[in-house]
Amino acid sequence: LVQELRDSCCGPKSQAGASFIPALRQAANVAALPGIVSASLAMPDVHSGYGFCIGNVAAFDMDDPLAVISPGGVGFDINCGVRLIRTNLSEADVGSEDVREKLAEALFKNIPVGVGAGGDIPCTMQELDRLLSNGVDWAIEKGFAWKEDKDHCEEEGRMDTADPKCVSHRAKKRGLKQLGTLGAGNHYAEIQVVDEIYQLEAAKTMGIGKVGQVCIMIHTGSRGLGHQVATDALTVMERAMSRDNIDLNDRQLSCARINSREGKEYLAAMSCAANFAWVNRSCITFLTRKAFSEVFDRTPDDMDMHLVYDVCHNIAKVEKHVVDGVERTLLVHRKGSTRAFPPHHPSIPKDYQSIGQPVLIGGTMGTCSYVLVGTERGMAETFGSTCHGAGRALSRNQSRKTLDHDRVLKQLHDKGISIRVASPKLVMEEAPESYKDVCDVIETCQDAGISEKVVKLRPIAVIKG
């Protein structure tokens, strides 16, 4: 954060003028938006983004006629999120380099990766409207998800505020061929093993209670469809702000009154993109189960390849929260932050009621990831939110300039991590040195009491765009 401030004042980014705004200033700008409740919050992995900083949480009163919804508070990759699949395999089953390489290759062969990559999941334009409305239910109907997967998705994999009529033809066209694709950037499919367990009973409840147990983590979102939904909304909201005399500190915070036509249509379109993302991760899960079956010659069910949970971290959702002793209906924007509801909350699955909502925090390429649970303190202080990852420490351009491709690959090999990547430049951009230390971020959340550690996961193979 301090480096961002330095850069904005006297570093190379100062040359960019208003196009670069440090995260602290972005968080302050969000605090001035109409209808905000309590405060603009920044999670420990905070860094500069578009409009809202990444790691920002802000809630707006649905009953306040001046309150707004902002695409910058969700991001371009709507419902970018993480899911964790467990197995009954142990590290001994995948410990040899030969098996790891076979698994990495099988995943890379089955899951399309890279910018603009197209997939093989069949879907017509007419079917796409049903997908955008029904979310994971569509994937179950088509055989790309197990029925029980739905129970372990945030919102059960479907936002009922979705309306496909509010999604442009261009957005639909971009998404139509991208089902079951990973994309590029920080998206990945990663084979991991349980490395440490901090709360054994909670880990057992999730089915990941053995050190050395093999899991798969998938991190991706709504691909080109979500990006286009955000782009379309920003154009429309410029006109709405002028009409409604909404004055902002930063034009990247383009917004509309929640109950205006533009606000309602963006919420409906964003919900469609969120549903698309859940289906996309479901289709990748289908392809992952297929890849493991090919390598081990066993069925996914036989390998207990059940979904632990699926969370989103770029979203705006209508939720009930107690503020100053009074329950209020709020539109909670989480950009680069994860919902983390406490035990006994009605919105989390029945089998997790006693432990709280699982929270999945992906690390960086070659570093550990975590499974957390939500807390009552987090519910009271952060609208039930926590971090979403490590957060960048270097820009992508800085990473490419300062890090060596071969050295990064050697470090991964020395750690026993197999890797498949479509674009060589991503090796530097996504290297551990490009990010904050995820362990420090997790400990900060633990110390603040907004989430609690359950399991630490260690990577053994990673697939990236």
Side-chain angles (χ1 to χ4, degrees):
L1 290 180
V2 173
Q3 187 61 48
E4 283 186 358
L5 289 171
R6 286 199 191 101
D7 286 349
S8 68
C9 298
C10 52
K13 291 179 181 177
S14 65
Q15 305 301 316
S19 64
F20 175 75
I21 303 175
L24 287 178
R25 190 177 299 168
Q26 288 182 321
N29 288 339
V30 169
L33 286 174
I36 191 169
V37 175
S38 298
S40 169
L41 306 170
M43 300 298 106
D45 49 342
V46 62
H47 57 284
S48 180
Y50 181 92
F52 283 52
C53 53
I54 296 166
N56 219 162
V57 178
F60 297 82
D61 192 337
M62 293 288 290
D63 295 325
D64 184 343
L66 300 181
V68 298
I69 182 171
S70 174
V74 174
F76 285 92
D77 191 3
I78 296 166
N79 188 6
C80 180
V82 182
R83 64 170 43 195
L84 186 69
I85 306 157
R86 73 183 189 223
T87 76
N88 57 18
L89 301 171
S90 70
E91 189 167 11
D93 297 315
V94 299
S96 73
E97 184 173 357
D98 179 58
V99 175
R100 287 200 314 271
E101 287 294 319
K102 284 181 180 178
L103 279 171
E105 188 61 30
L107 286 174
F108 197 64
K109 182 183 73 174
N110 279 280
I111 303 171
V113 301
V115 177
D120 297 323
I121 303 296
C123 185
T124 65
M125 189 64 80
Q126 185 178 5
E127 279 292 318
L128 184 62
D129 278 355
R130 292 184 60 245
L131 181 160
L132 297 178
S133 293
N134 297 336
V136 168
D137 286 331
W138 182 92
I140 294 170
E141 176 190 325
K142 297 297 180 181
F144 297 122
W146 295 352
K147 188 175 180 180
E148 56 266 35
D149 290 349
K150 174 181 175 177
D151 298 332
H152 284 180
C153 288
E154 189 172 331
E155 299 297 322
E156 295 188 329
R158 178 190 180 190
M159 290 183 69
D160 57 13
T161 43
D163 184 353
K165 294 193 297 292
C166 297
V167 179
S168 70
H169 178 76
R170 185 175 183 184
K172 292 176 182 178
K173 188 176 178 180
R174 290 184 67 180
L176 191 60
K177 300 298 183 183
Q178 292 188 326
L179 273 179
T181 67
L182 202 59
N186 62 353
H187 295 165
Y188 58 80
E190 192 167 273
I191 303 170
Q192 306 170 334
V193 295
V194 174
D195 195 47
E196 291 185 50
I197 297 174
Y198 307 100
Q199 296 187 45
L200 183 57
E201 289 308 311
K204 285 181 176 179
T205 299
M206 297 182 205
I208 50 174
K210 296 180 180 179
V211 172
Q213 185 174 347
V214 174
C215 300
I216 305 98
M217 184 172 280
I218 295 166
H219 176 214
T220 190
S222 50
R223 306 290 279 112
L225 185 143
H227 195 286
Q228 192 62 47
V229 165
T231 301
D232 293 341
L234 289 169
T235 302
V236 169
M237 287 185 180
E238 284 287 339
R239 297 192 291 269
M241 288 193 303
S242 177
R243 181 196 66 210
D244 294 339
N245 298 313
I246 300 175
D247 190 27
L248 302 175
N249 294 332
D250 175 14
R251 301 303 293 181
Q252 290 184 0
L253 292 173
S254 289
C255 57
R257 308 289 186 205
I258 294 174
N259 292 312
S260 69
R261 177 179 61 82
E262 295 84 357
K264 290 177 180 177
E265 288 182 354
Y266 170 66
L267 180 59
M270 182 213 69
S271 299
C272 286
N275 290 347
F276 183 92
W278 275 308
V279 174
N280 188 36
R281 291 195 289 274
S282 294
C283 291
I284 293 174
T285 300
F286 169 79
L287 297 171
T288 298
R289 287 166 173 160
K290 179 173 178 281
F292 268 67
S293 289
E294 290 173 358
V295 173
F296 292 103
D297 195 25
R298 296 168 61 188
T299 67
D301 189 53
D302 184 45
M303 289 182 282
D304 193 37
M305 296 186 73
H306 289 275
L307 182 63
V308 175
Y309 204 60
D310 179 304
V311 295
C312 47
H313 49 232
N314 279 357
I315 202 81
K317 293 195 297 186
V318 179
E319 298 173 356
K320 299 281 189 182
H321 289 272
V322 176
V323 181
D324 297 328
V326 178
E327 184 177 79
R328 295 163 70 176
T329 304
L330 307 178
L331 183 65
V332 182
H333 294 61
R334 294 187 182 94
K335 180 179 181 179
S337 56
T338 312
R339 195 187 76 173
F341 281 176
H344 310 300
H345 193 282
S347 295
I348 62 178
K350 291 180 181 178
D351 46 343
Y352 295 152
Q353 282 287 308
S354 65
I355 63 171
Q357 180 207 308
V359 179
L360 310 175
I361 307 299
T364 61
M365 187 174 67
T367 65
C368 58
S369 298
Y370 285 86
V371 181
L372 318 175
V373 285
T375 66
E376 290 289 354
R377 184 170 181 179
M379 196 68 184
E381 296 185 1
T382 63
F383 302 106
S385 310
T386 190
C387 65
H388 87 302
R392 292 199 73 89
L394 299 176
S395 70
R396 295 189 179 277
N397 189 47
Q398 286 173 317
S399 296
R400 289 194 300 270
K401 285 182 177 180
T402 58
L403 300 177
D404 178 73
H405 173 272
D406 292 336
R407 186 177 65 82
V408 174
L409 287 180
K410 184 178 184 304
Q411 287 176 338
L412 293 172
H413 182 269
D414 290 347
K415 290 181 178 179
I417 300 170
S418 297
I419 182 169
R420 295 292 187 278
V421 59
S423 173
K425 69 179 183 180
L426 275 179
V427 172
M428 292 88 76
E429 292 178 4
E430 295 299 312
E433 297 92 330
S434 299
Y435 287 83
K436 300 171 186 174
D437 187 333
V438 68
C439 298
D440 291 343
V441 172
I442 296 299
E443 290 300 333
T444 302
C445 294
Q446 177 95 7
D447 291 346
I450 60 175
S451 53
E452 293 181 349
K453 296 185 295 183
V454 176
V455 163
K456 179 181 178 181
L457 300 156
R458 170 171 49 84
I460 59 171
V462 57
I463 310 303
K464 295 188 69 68

